[in-house]
Each structure stands twice: as C-alpha cells, then as structure tokens.
Amino acid sequence: MKILLTGGTGYIGSHTAVELIKAGHEVEILDNLFNSKITVLDDIEAIAGVKPKFYEVDLLDKEGLDAVFAEGQYDLVMHFAGLKAVGESVEKPLKYYENNIGGTVNLLECMKKYGVKKIVFSSSATVYGNQDGVKLSEEMPVGVGITNPYGQTKFMIEQILKDLVVSDPEFEVAILRYFNPVGAHESGLIGEDPNDIPNNLMPIIMKVATGEIPELSIYGDDYDTPDGTGMRDFVHVVDLAKGHVATMGGLRPGVVVYNLGTGKATSVMEMVKMFEAESGKELPYKIVARRAGDLAKIYADPSKAENELGWKAEHTIEDAMRDTIKYLNHVRG
C-alpha cells in the first residue's frame, strides 16, 4: 500500500515508517518539523534501505495539504501529527485546539476529496480520564475526567472520526490508544529527542544523564503504590510501531479501537533505577509536589489487539533502557 504518515519524522512516526517499509509498503511523510528533524529521513534510510519522500507542510496549510494529496494518490493515512506537551496545552489551550483539531479536520477533508478512506489515528490513553488503578479496556467510557486540553483534543478527534463514519460508512478508521512509549530503535539511529522542553519521562531522564537538565523532578512519592511513585504502562516504541502495521489487517468499514500497551505498570522510581543499572550513571533527582490530575496507576488491557490483530508487546523495559542509551550515545556523540 501507499501510505502517508503525518508527523512521520517524529518519535513514533519515524519508527512506524521503518516497520512499514520493512513490511513492503511505500511510505511518504508529511511534517512541519516543529518538533522533529529532517535528518531523521537519512536515519530511516540507513535502517530500512529506503528514504521516504518528504513534504514539509503544516496541516493548517490547506493549499499545501491539497497539493500533497493531488500528487500522492494514497491508499491509507497514518495520522501522528499534533502538539503533545500536556503542560503547554494547559497554558495555551487555543493553540492546541486549533492545531490538533483544525489540522485533523483539514486532513479529513482532503482525504474525502481525494477518495482516501482508510486512516489510522494516533490517540492516547488520556481519553480514559481519571479512571485510576484499573486495567483500562477499550469498552470503558472515555471523555470523562480528562485533565488537560491535549487529552481533550484526542477525545474530540476520536469523536470527529466516529461522526465521519456515520456520514460516510465507506471510511475505515482505526483508533490506537497509546500508553507510554519509551525506548528507541535497536540501531540507536532513531529515538525520542524533542526540540522543545520534554514532557515525557524518558527524554527528561536522557537530558539529566547528559547534564542538560540538572536533576529529575519526581512528582510525588506518596501514591498508593509499592514505592510511592506513580506507575505507568511503558511500551517499547518498536512494539508500538509494529502495532500500526498489524492494525492495517484489522481495518474494515466503520471504527475499530485498540489499546497499545503491555498490560503491566512500572513506577517512576523503578524506571530511574533501571536506567542507572543499564547506564552505570547515577541520576540526580528530587521529590516535588504531585501534579494536578496525575493518577497513581494507569495500565492497559491489551488483549483485544492480541486477539484480533495478533499483536503483543515483546520488548522489556530493560530493552527500552538499553536502546535509549544507545540512541543517547548516537545523538550526543
């Protein structure tokens, strides 16, 4: 298939590009490079043997987007593009609503115009809201208790996709709810290295390890967990990428929803200790106040993806740490 990846030079998009190319698909990438680097295209080529065609276009640029679709003749779109810093979304909600929702509407309008009716959407476990300490399954309610505009945009886009299918039943939509992506490609060539101040745990750990950030802030150590720190379902980014390839086999007219996670929760402190063990470096950290809206324990029920797609996370947290360190050494020389 010929596939367009929006946000394809980003963290998850670049790893998915590699897996799609390995699976024999033709990949083209659209990205505004707001939070990624053009050199990722060379790294994808070094790993997969093919350099994807690239369009530097913003989804808010309707004319530029139309030109891409007029030329592309795609079979399917994988939609990764979007702003994703939770804290920034609280400070700048209008920016997030305009970019994430407006950009997606522009994309879907182009898809309709050019008859591209297959889409895999990069959603998030944040849509489950404030359901704490339970294994989250796709049948559970979503949209209640979401604590930030970033999560709201993911929920709203899910609803937009469902409404689109009602209006045009030929659309085949897969919504993938990610838990916490970590790790890097085993080659060490691609990984997570955001241009802005990182929001996720692993890139912050990386910047602390290199001295770019003086110490790691751990938000609360008084949760009802074994060591008091919050627990999350950390899934290796390569497993996540393979989940996208597997999802293509599950597409059918209508909407399907899958969790992509491991089904296990690991604490922030466990992540710190595992990174120290793999790197041989001690990470300076301090315990600070809890963040508003943070939950004690969030983890996936990934059984639906396993039963329907044959997909299951295979990498361990130790694999993620090892690959992250390899990537860290690559980007920092």
Side-chain angles (χ1 to χ4, degrees):
M1 297 180 77
K2 188 174 183 183
I3 304 169
L4 178 68
L5 272 57
T6 73
T9 53
Y11 178 41
I12 299 166
S14 60
H15 286 83
T16 303
V18 167
E19 297 303 322
L20 288 169
I21 293 167
K22 285 167 62 177
H25 299 287
E26 183 180 354
V27 173
E28 296 189 355
I29 289 174
L30 177 152
D31 204 302
N32 64 3
L33 300 177
F34 174 76
N35 200 28
S36 59
K37 299 175 176 67
I38 190 72
T39 53
V40 167
L41 297 171
D42 297 323
D43 297 326
I44 292 171
E45 182 181 22
I47 297 167
V50 176
K51 188 173 186 176
K53 188 171 185 178
F54 177 73
Y55 300 92
E56 187 175 350
V57 174
D58 193 297
L59 291 180
L60 295 178
D61 175 4
K62 288 187 177 183
E63 289 186 4
L65 191 58
D66 190 274
V68 171
F69 273 84
E71 183 180 332
Q73 298 183 317
Y74 302 108
D75 299 304
L76 181 147
V77 173
M78 289 193 177
H79 181 29
F80 301 96
L83 299 173
K84 63 174 188 174
V86 171
E88 184 187 50
S89 78
V90 175
E91 297 167 6
K92 302 175 181 178
L94 298 182
K95 177 180 178 182
Y96 272 66
Y97 289 123
E98 178 189 30
N99 185 86
N100 292 5
I101 296 173
T104 300
V105 169
N106 290 345
L107 174 66
L108 294 172
E109 285 177 340
C110 253
M111 290 177 65
K112 272 187 72 73
K113 178 179 177 180
Y114 289 96
V116 185
K117 297 197 174 182
K118 298 177 192 288
I119 182 169
V120 178
F121 171 58
S122 167
S123 191
S124 165
T126 56
V127 301
Y128 290 110
N130 57 4
Q131 301 179 77
D132 196 0
V134 294
K135 207 171 218 186
L136 297 169
S137 70
E138 294 87 348
E139 290 72 34
M140 287 182 172
V142 294
V144 178
I146 296 173
T147 57
N148 56 77
Y150 161 74
Q152 290 285 8
T153 66
K154 292 296 188 183
F155 170 67
M156 291 177 181
I157 292 168
E158 287 194 11
Q159 191 59 52
I160 288 167
L161 290 167
K162 291 172 184 177
D163 292 341
L164 175 63
V165 167
V166 171
S167 72
D168 187 343
E170 291 182 356
F171 263 89
E172 301 179 17
V173 175
I175 293 169
L176 300 183
R177 293 175 182 158
Y178 305 164
F179 280 69
N180 293 72
V182 291
H185 192 268
E186 63 181 3
S187 66
L189 292 178
I190 55 175
E192 188 171 18
D193 188 25
N195 293 339
D196 59 358
I197 297 171
N199 184 68
N200 298 331
L201 178 63
M202 280 308 300
I204 295 174
I205 285 177
M206 289 167 62
K207 289 185 181 293
V208 172
T210 58
E212 295 172 63
I213 296 176
E215 61 186 355
L216 172 68
S217 293
I218 296 177
Y219 295 96
D221 65 348
D222 57 350
Y223 287 102
D224 185 16
T225 61
D227 62 24
T229 63
M231 301 184 75
R232 298 293 180 266
D233 188 334
F234 295 99
V235 57
H236 197 293
V237 67
V238 173
D239 285 328
L240 202 59
K242 290 179 178 179
H244 289 74
V245 180
T247 298
M248 291 166 62
L251 282 170
R252 54 186 179 269
V255 180
V256 291
V257 181
Y258 296 106
N259 285 337
L260 294 184
T262 67
K264 301 172 185 175
T266 305
S267 77
V268 172
M269 189 59 73
E270 286 176 309
M271 294 290 283
V272 169
K273 296 305 178 187
M274 278 190 271
F275 184 87
E276 289 180 334
E278 287 289 328
S279 67
K281 289 185 176 181
E282 188 172 333
L283 283 176
Y285 67 87
K286 63 180 177 181
I287 307 296
V288 298
R290 293 186 186 190
R291 290 181 298 195
D294 270 357
L295 303 177
K297 187 177 183 181
I298 303 169
Y299 63 120
D301 178 353
S303 58
K304 184 180 178 183
E306 183 175 3
N307 294 336
E308 295 188 11
L309 305 175
W311 175 88
K312 185 178 181 179
E314 298 174 347
H315 291 77
T316 65
I317 298 293
E318 288 80 6
D319 293 333
M321 294 298 174
R322 183 196 62 237
D323 297 336
T324 296
I325 291 163
K326 196 179 291 184
Y327 175 67
L328 184 62
N329 292 335
H330 167 68
V331 295
R332 301 295 183 264

